[in-house]
Amino acid sequence: MKNKVQGMSTYKDKIDLTRVPTHIAIIMDGNGRWAKERGFDRIWGHQQGVVSVREITEAAAEINIKYLTLYAFSTENWERPQSEVDALMELLIDTIESETPSLNKNNVRLMAIGDLSRLPKKATEKLQHSLDQTSKNSGLSLILALSYSSRWEITNALKNICKDVSTGKYGIDEINDELVREHLTTKSIPDPDLLIRTSGELRISNFLLWQIAYTELYFTSTHWPAFRKESFYEAVYDFQQRERRYGK
Ligand code: IPE
Ligand code: IPE
Ligand code: MG
C-alpha cells in the first residue's frame, strides 16, 4: 500500500520507468515565504527545506534518476543579512554531517559545484569529507550547487580558455561547444533534462544558463518545504507528456 492512497493511483504509478529523465535540476525556492506564511522565522523554513531535500533525494533514487542537482546557495545569496547567511552555513554543515551515513547506505554519490572557496572553513571540511566518503557510490549522483552562479562559472571558463590559448595549448579556432562544456564545473555531468523551480517565480536566477539550452522547464507555486515526493513525481510525469524537438 506504500504508494496508494485509498486505492487512488499516484503520480509515481503513472511514471514510465523506462524513460525517466537522466538529470533533474531544482531551484529550491520559497523557504522564507513558507515560514512567514505560518508565522515563523525564515530560518525555520530553511530547516523544513532540508526535510524536502531528504525526501526528494529518496524519491529520485526510487525511480532511478542518475543525477539530481539542487541549487542550495547562490553567489547572490551571500548578500543576504549576515544572520541568515550564518544560519544557512550552519544548516549546511549539520546536514552534510548527519546525512552522509544515509547517503552511503543508499549508494548516493555527493558532488558539489560552485565557488567552494568562499564557504566557511568548517563547511568546506565537512563537505570534502562527505565527497570523499561517498565518491565510490554508483547510484544517484546528488550535486549541490553552493555559492554557485552561472555567470561566475562561465566567466571562470572564459579565463581558463584564454590562458590555454595564450600558452598555445589550442588555437582560437579550436574553441567549440564541447571545449566550453569541458571548462564548466559540470563537465562530467550531462545537461539537465528537466529543471524544476518551486514557489511560483518564473525566472532562472543565474542557474546553469549554458546547460539548460534544451532543458524542459517546470514551474510550480508549491514552496520548497511543501514540495515532497508526490509533487516531484507529478513533475516527472508532466515531463513525460512533452515532446522534445531540439530545433529539429
Ligand atoms: C530558498 O528559499 C533557499 C535559498 C535561496 C537559500 P528562500 O530563502 O529564497 O525563500 P523565499 O524565496 O525568500 O521565500
Ligand atoms: C535562487 O533563489 C537561489 C537558490 C534557490 C539557492 P533566490 O530566492 O535567491 O532567487 P531570487 O532572488 O528570487 O531570484
Ligand atoms: Mg527565494
Side-chain angles (χ1 to χ4, degrees):
M1 289 300 282
K2 203 167 165 229
N3 301 306
K4 300 268 193 291
V5 184
Q6 293 287 326
M8 259 166 53
S9 75
T10 69
Y11 280 104
K12 191 183 184 187
D13 298 324
K14 294 188 191 172
I15 292 171
D16 177 352
L17 292 172
T18 66
R19 35 180 217 97
V20 293
T22 300
H23 181 181
I24 300 181
I26 307 183
I27 302 174
M28 309 184 289
D29 196 20
N31 293 352
R33 276 165 286 165
W34 185 84
K36 284 282 162 217
E37 281 167 16
R38 282 155 185 80
F40 290 99
D41 196 70
R42 292 176 58 83
I43 308 303
W44 187 68
H46 295 314
Q47 289 165 344
Q48 295 306 306
V50 173
V51 182
S52 295
V53 169
R54 195 180 300 132
E55 288 252 325
I56 300 313
T57 304
E58 234 180 76
E62 277 172 29
I63 58 167
N64 283 324
I65 303 293
K66 282 281 151 215
Y67 299 89
L68 175 67
T69 300
L70 302 178
Y71 201 5
F73 195 87
S74 73
T75 304
E76 291 77 14
N77 289 154
W78 289 115
E79 282 152 54
R80 290 191 179 190
Q82 193 58 43
S83 57
E84 185 172 348
V85 171
D86 289 347
L88 281 166
M89 289 301 136
E90 207 165 299
L91 195 57
L92 174 70
I93 293 167
D94 292 349
T95 306
I96 290 174
E97 181 148 53
S98 63
E99 295 300 317
T100 302
S102 79
L103 293 179
N104 272 326
K105 193 170 138 244
N106 295 307
N107 197 22
V108 178
R109 170 175 65 159
L110 188 69
M111 296 172 78
I113 56 171
D115 189 359
L116 306 179
S117 68
R118 290 187 71 179
L119 297 175
K121 190 162 168 276
K122 190 148 180 227
T124 331
E125 283 170 5
K126 296 272 180 226
L127 179 64
Q128 194 54 53
H129 183 70
S130 186
L131 296 174
D132 294 343
Q133 291 249 303
T134 63
S135 66
K136 301 269 187 322
N137 293 339
S138 57
L140 171 73
S141 292
L142 172 64
I143 303 135
L144 295 183
L146 294 168
S147 188
Y148 174 89
S149 77
S150 209
R151 287 185 177 177
W152 163 82
E153 176 181 51
I154 292 170
T155 305
N156 242 1
L158 280 173
K159 283 185 195 164
N160 289 324
I161 291 171
C162 287
K163 272 186 212 153
D164 287 348
V165 169
S166 70
T167 60
K169 196 168 169 194
Y170 43 76
I172 287 176
D173 291 340
E174 286 166 84
I175 299 173
N176 56 20
D177 262 33
E178 205 39 54
L179 188 125
V180 174
R181 165 190 302 279
E182 281 165 18
H183 285 82
L184 300 175
T185 58
T186 51
K187 59 175 178 287
S188 59
I189 302 163
D191 288 344
D193 301 292
L194 172 63
L195 171 67
I196 298 170
R197 182 171 188 145
T198 61
S199 210
E201 307 298 354
L202 305 180
R203 56 178 172 259
I204 302 299
S205 303
N206 217 347
F207 193 43
L208 304 176
L209 298 178
W210 172 279
Q211 296 87 340
I212 61 172
Y214 273 101
T215 298
E216 295 296 325
L217 308 181
Y218 180 90
F219 297 96
T220 169
S221 59
T222 306
H223 292 312
W224 178 249
F227 190 86
R228 295 290 161 89
K229 289 191 178 183
E230 189 60 5
S231 327
F232 179 77
Y233 293 137
E234 183 175 3
V236 173
Y237 176 74
D238 186 278
F239 166 86
Q240 290 190 329
Q241 310 314 305
R242 302 184 188 188
E243 186 194 357
R244 299 178 82 186
R245 288 189 287 273
Y246 302 95
K248 291 173 194 161

